Amino acid sequence: MQDTVAILLFVGVVAYALLGGADFGAGFWDLTAGGADRGRRPRHLIDASIGPVWEANHTWLIYCLVILWSGFPTAFTAITTTLYLPLVFAALGIVLRGAGFAFRHNALRTPEQRLYGAVFALSSVLTPYSFGAIAGAIASGRVPTGGNGNALTSWNHPTSHLGGALAVVVCAYLAAVYLHVEARRAGDTALARYFRDRGLAAAAAAGAVSVAGIFVLHSDAKRLFHDLSHVALPLVVGAAVCGVACILLLLTHRTVLLRQTAAAAVALVVCGWGVAQYPYLLGTHLTLDEGASPRATLQVLIVVACVAGVTVLPSLVLLFRLAGRGRLTIH
Amino acid sequence: MLTLDAVLHGLATAADEPAQLLPARQQMAFTLGFHIILVPFGVALTSLTLIAHHRGLRHGDSTALLLARRWSKAAAVLFAVGAVTGTVLTFELGVLWPGLMGTYGSAFGFPFSIEGLFFFLEAIFVSIYIYGWNRLPPWAHFWTGVPVSLSGIGGTASVVAANSWMNQPGGITMRDGKVVDVEPAKVFFNGAFWGETIHMLLAAYIVAGFTVGGVYAAGLLRGRDNRYHRTGFLIGFVTAACLMPVQLLVGDTIARDVFNDEPAKFAAIEMVPATDDHVPETLGGVMIDGEVRYGWQIPDLGSILADFSPSTTIKGLDAIPADVRPDDRTVSVVHLAFDVMVGTGSLLTLLAAWFAWLWYRHRRVPENRWFLRAAAVSGALAVICLESGWVVTEVGRQPWTVVGLLLTRDAVTTEGNIWALFACVLALYAAVGAAAIWVLRSMRRRWRAEGDDNVTVPYGPAPEPVAARPGPREQ
């Protein structure tokens, strides 16, 4: 049963990585879009794409946190008492990002919009980096079961830096691909090209970070490296294949299955981490069995997830459909 | 000298408790207090919007439709801010209170998963509803707003379930300091659940209603006496005014429940030093060295209010074991907060009665300037009432985090400099709060100056392509 809850938790992590990640990535492109005049068109597309679905994407994080603290409370507090600094940074990013999102639409003059925009964009890098670093710390066993691990060294090591850097480039990559497809759909070829180039650059960066990651993990997180290269190998290979396929699709100007391929590449990487982690919650010192809540709580979580499946998912589909249709009418 | 004494006293108590305790409590109180102001607008402003929307569609009332449209946009801004401050609270539960989450997460935590479900639905349908203006068929659009209201109610109930469980924990089996079995229904529907939930839901509608009514009352005072302001005033104010007497009755019932089920909190609320019958009702006043000072005492009324008889015995603070007895300062805070809550609540009830009388006499929105002045500040009064109510329930639980099971000093983190974190949080929230107010005001200014189509909000798509015409960005 704890395995089921762990899978449900991981579904949330993957969804947040794909949907929240694309939002963070859009913020990254917003940050790098240049001055007010030059960056106007890409920023407008980013606004129009994110606007309607922002909150829904963001909610996956809440989902992950509540499942973690109800289902595996020991692991939750071990993480929060050890990694409180990156958590605070992530929360800071979320506050600024959310506030920027909430207020920017209403900013009247360009300097105000620039301020909100800069806040929104900067925090879009801070948050994924922090979450990546947290994942690196958990995966490499730097979070002791009893919590209160070293507040600095627990996330200042190669694996966490790798996780943070990978999270930032992967978010940028996802966003560029999604925005490329949006621009194509809207019939804006110049903008489509703009995001295609950025998508390719981000894909190359993600590839480079991943290759560097092989060496980092080999020296810094031996067990993780071992599991990734054994049980999780098919997922890692799958991710690489999807990544390459996505680059080929971008190069050959195809949009069929482009977003799906990009999403699959990222999802497979995240799943690879999950499989390599199994059956441990933290490093190799706390298993799912040991860390799980009593049975009744796990049952509640499974029921909640099932109810969410039949209520939230159709609503989400409706929202994305409507939002997609709306964007077509804008341009 | 008094301040010096307070400082020394503070240092003396700090010695046997973690240095993180005071800043963590202050930060939690501040962020909760901030978040709770936004909650009524996420929960209830959407319902007021739907009332206006329904009226607009049913009677072809374009004024009501315009109000609904603008309220939904204001609600969108507040909802986005509330979502963010709510997310901060979820982080804080882990970072500040690991003792609570680690040991009791399996019981205290799961209501939040149900809340998460409702919040998800709310977020999705807020987006759809905001998006739907002019894009969905009118009635279909109206119905997309209904899930927002319903999930607001469900979400509130879930969060309050977790909170009320801290007051009256049940449904768990402990062994060796660990929760080994959970009965979810008993955790969720704990002894304090119904009272607290209904109290909070009513409070949400009352705060939103008086605030909305107050905004238009201020407009009427400034001479904007038109249909738009009158309709806006009526929908908000009447909703709140109708619920206010109900809230008074519910509150009275809860106070008696607290007398029966949470005697320690009741002793602090009534500021009763020693168990006794014929307990007077103390209005105002503080507790110094275990004695009630200042304040105005009405003989026997405390006992009568507790159980309808002057001979009712009320357990005093002396009935609480000394090591878990709240100190004088805590008792004074709880008692005064309770007085403020009841006081503001009574004023608001009188205001509602005044409105009923004026309406009965004139059958129109009152023109009495003193009434309108009072109505204009009713929103602020309602917020004070809400805040002091939460102070009563949260501070009144101290020194416990989970009554009888977990002391707050054992729940708090032992890592990190929380004062520094708290300082950052204060600065950040001040900026966010100021920006939220500024944005709402600028929205109003632009509604007046430019009409509705130029004001875009979170969730809503941009009105027109930037290239096609000079939009807000260029101005």
Side-chain angles (χ1 to χ4, degrees):
Chain A
M1 185 166 292
Q2 48 272 39
D3 290 358
T4 314
V5 175
I7 290 168
L8 291 174
L9 173 62
F10 230 79
V11 169
V13 174
V14 171
Y16 187 56
L18 291 182
L19 299 169
D23 278 358
F24 289 123
F28 177 82
W29 296 122
D30 190 317
L31 179 68
T32 53
D37 283 334
R38 200 155 58 87
R40 178 172 302 131
R41 291 188 63 77
R43 288 204 177 100
H44 180 70
L45 181 72
I46 290 168
D47 265 1
S49 319
I50 288 185
V53 294
W54 186 83
E55 197 71 65
N57 290 345
H58 183 74
T59 309
W60 285 106
L61 173 65
I62 308 285
Y63 169 93
C64 296
L65 286 174
V66 295
I67 299 264
L68 181 61
W69 83 37
S70 315
F72 307 100
T74 332
F76 175 71
T77 49
I79 294 168
T80 55
T81 51
T82 303
L83 297 169
Y84 58 89
L85 285 173
L87 279 167
V88 165
F89 294 141
L92 172 73
I94 289 167
V95 172
L96 292 177
R97 205 172 112 73
F101 163 75
F103 301 146
R104 181 186 185 175
H105 281 274
N106 294 288
L108 202 55
R109 291 178 296 274
T110 310
E112 285 162 4
Q113 284 197 329
R114 209 176 278 157
L115 174 68
Y116 285 131
V119 163
F120 170 65
L122 262 178
S123 45
S124 294
V125 177
L126 184 64
T127 307
Y129 184 86
S130 304
F131 280 127
I134 289 167
I138 295 169
S140 59
R142 257 100 175 183
V143 180
T145 308
N148 294 334
N150 190 300
L152 290 173
T153 57
S154 58
W155 57 285
N156 273 312
H157 51 81
T159 309
S160 270
H161 294 315
L162 170 72
L166 194 60
V168 172
V169 291
V170 157
C171 291
Y173 158 71
L174 272 179
V177 170
Y178 291 176
L179 288 166
H180 166 70
V181 176
E182 287 302 324
R184 282 277 288 263
R185 275 191 181 172
D188 190 332
T189 37
L191 207 51
R193 199 183 162 75
Y194 177 95
F195 280 114
R196 188 188 71 123
D197 295 347
R198 276 154 183 78
L200 284 170
V209 173
S210 305
V211 172
I214 295 173
F215 298 101
V216 170
L217 292 184
H218 183 65
S219 68
D220 190 57
K222 289 222 161 43
R223 190 196 73 89
L224 186 65
F225 178 81
H226 176 266
D227 284 356
L228 278 174
S229 56
H230 289 80
V231 278
L233 190 63
L235 296 171
V236 175
V237 172
V241 169
C242 286
V244 172
C246 185
I247 291 176
L248 291 176
L249 286 172
L250 277 173
L251 284 174
T252 53
H253 301 276
R254 280 169 224 265
T255 52
V256 185
L257 292 181
L258 174 60
R259 284 182 303 174
Q260 288 82 346
T261 319
V266 177
L268 286 169
V269 171
V270 181
C271 289
W273 168 42
V275 169
Q277 187 90 12
Y278 186 84
Y280 296 102
L281 269 168
L282 302 173
T284 53
H285 43 268
L286 182 69
T287 62
L288 287 170
D289 279 348
E290 293 160 354
S293 278
R295 218 178 148 72
T297 302
L298 301 180
Q299 281 167 343
V300 170
L301 295 179
I302 292 171
V303 170
V304 168
C306 292
V307 175
V310 296
T311 54
V312 170
L313 284 187
S315 318
L316 263 184
V317 170
L318 176 67
L319 172 64
F320 279 102
R321 282 253 174 95
L322 290 172
R325 219 196 290 160
R327 267 172 307 199
L328 282 179
T329 60
I330 298 172
H331 291 272
Chain B
M1 281 315 285
L2 197 69
T3 41
L4 182 65
D5 181 60
V7 169
L8 290 174
H9 181 72
L11 289 176
T13 51
D16 59 324
E17 53 195 30
Q20 284 82 2
L21 182 60
L22 185 60
R25 282 188 63 198
Q26 300 294 337
Q27 181 176 333
M28 199 67 193
F30 172 73
T31 44
L32 271 172
F34 190 99
H35 182 68
I36 202 69
I37 298 176
L38 296 163
V39 167
F41 299 98
V43 173
L45 183 55
T46 42
S47 302
L48 296 179
T49 304
L50 286 177
I51 294 174
H53 195 166
H54 189 268
R55 196 188 149 75
L57 291 180
R58 195 62 184 269
H59 303 289
D61 184 342
S62 59
T63 308
L65 268 186
L66 181 62
L67 284 166
R69 203 181 163 109
R70 291 182 176 179
W71 290 353
S72 71
K73 291 182 175 182
V77 171
L78 293 171
F79 185 80
V81 180
V84 169
T85 55
T87 306
V88 171
L89 289 172
T90 59
F91 277 79
E92 282 179 344
L93 280 176
V95 171
L96 299 181
W97 310 107
L100 171 64
M101 301 315 292
T103 313
Y104 298 100
S106 50
F108 172 75
F110 82 79
F112 289 101
S113 68
I114 301 169
E115 194 265 345
L117 174 66
F118 283 117
F119 179 69
F120 224 137
L121 288 171
E122 198 176 353
I124 292 169
F125 281 97
V126 161
S127 307
I128 295 177
Y129 185 70
I130 300 288
Y131 163 87
W133 288 106
N134 288 356
R135 289 185 180 80
L136 294 174
W139 278 105
H141 178 220
F142 171 81
W143 286 107
T144 61
V146 173
V148 180
S149 278
L150 295 180
S151 12
I153 293 171
T156 307
S158 311
V159 173
V160 176
N163 179 271
S164 55
W165 182 83
M166 293 157 78
N167 288 321
Q168 293 187 34
I172 54 169
T173 311
M174 301 284 292
R175 198 181 303 140
D176 304 329
K178 282 186 74 175
V179 175
V180 289
D181 196 18
V182 175
E183 291 172 81
K186 285 191 182 166
V187 169
F188 198 94
F189 300 104
N190 59 75
F193 170 77
W194 287 108
E196 265 196 49
T197 301
I198 294 170
H199 206 41
M200 178 60 212
L201 278 173
L202 287 171
Y205 277 82
I206 287 167
V207 168
F210 278 130
T211 306
V212 168
V215 167
Y216 294 99
L220 290 168
L221 269 178
R222 291 201 185 107
R224 297 197 189 94
D225 189 7
N226 49 32
R227 215 176 111 67
Y228 175 78
H229 278 77
R230 286 194 300 271
T231 313
F233 172 80
L234 279 181
I235 294 174
F237 193 89
V238 171
T239 306
C242 290
L243 295 176
M244 202 55 231
V246 183
Q247 180 74 310
L248 222 55
L249 284 177
V250 169
D252 183 56
T253 312
I254 293 173
R256 263 189 296 283
D257 287 347
V258 171
F259 165 68
N260 287 315
D261 303 327
E262 299 169 50
K265 186 181 280 180
F266 195 79
I269 287 172
E270 296 289 333
M271 211 156 62
V272 183
T275 306
D276 203 357
D277 50 18
H278 294 273
V279 174
E281 177 72 22
T282 308
L283 300 180
V286 288
M287 184 157 249
I288 297 171
D289 297 331
E291 283 178 27
V292 178
R293 294 278 188 86
Y294 316 112
W296 180 41
Q297 296 201 319
I298 307 170
D300 292 355
L301 188 63
S303 289
I304 295 174
L305 286 173
D307 202 23
F308 306 112
S309 152
S311 55
T312 304
T313 303
I314 297 179
K315 275 190 190 151
L317 293 162
D318 62 342
I320 307 168
D323 54 335
V324 293
R325 193 181 296 155
D327 59 18
D328 288 351
R329 208 170 30 177
T330 307
V331 172
S332 303
V333 166
V334 174
H335 171 73
L336 288 174
F338 186 81
D339 283 1
V340 170
M341 174 181 75
V342 174
T344 49
S346 306
L347 284 177
L348 289 170
T349 312
L350 285 177
L351 185 66
W354 191 2
F355 173 79
W357 169 248
L358 290 171
W359 182 264
Y360 172 76
R361 292 266 312 272
H362 305 293
R363 303 276 157 184
R364 55 158 296 152
V365 172
E367 287 169 341
N368 183 318
R369 293 191 71 77
W370 280 107
F371 171 79
L372 287 177
R373 282 184 194 123
V377 297
S378 61
L381 267 186
V383 169
I384 293 170
C385 192
L386 173 78
E387 293 279 4
S388 44
W390 275 105
V391 169
V392 172
T393 194
E394 294 300 287
V395 182
R397 200 182 52 236
Q398 301 306 323
W400 298 101
T401 290
V402 182
V403 172
L405 293 175
L406 178 69
L407 287 166
T408 307
R409 64 167 173 262
D410 298 327
V412 75
T413 184
T414 50
E415 288 292 317
N417 183 346
I418 308 293
W419 281 118
L421 179 63
F422 183 33
C424 298
V425 164
L426 273 178
L428 189 61
Y429 273 52
V432 169
I437 291 168
W438 177 78
V439 160
L440 289 174
R441 291 175 69 97
S442 84
M443 274 164 78
R444 184 178 64 180
R445 202 170 55 231
R446 289 166 66 193
W447 278 331
R448 288 204 191 120
E450 304 169 33
D452 282 70
D453 291 335
N454 274 340
V455 179
T456 58
V457 290
Y459 315 108
E464 276 182 54
V466 168
R469 57 180 282 285
R473 265 170 189 245
E474 277 84 353
Q475 290 167 6

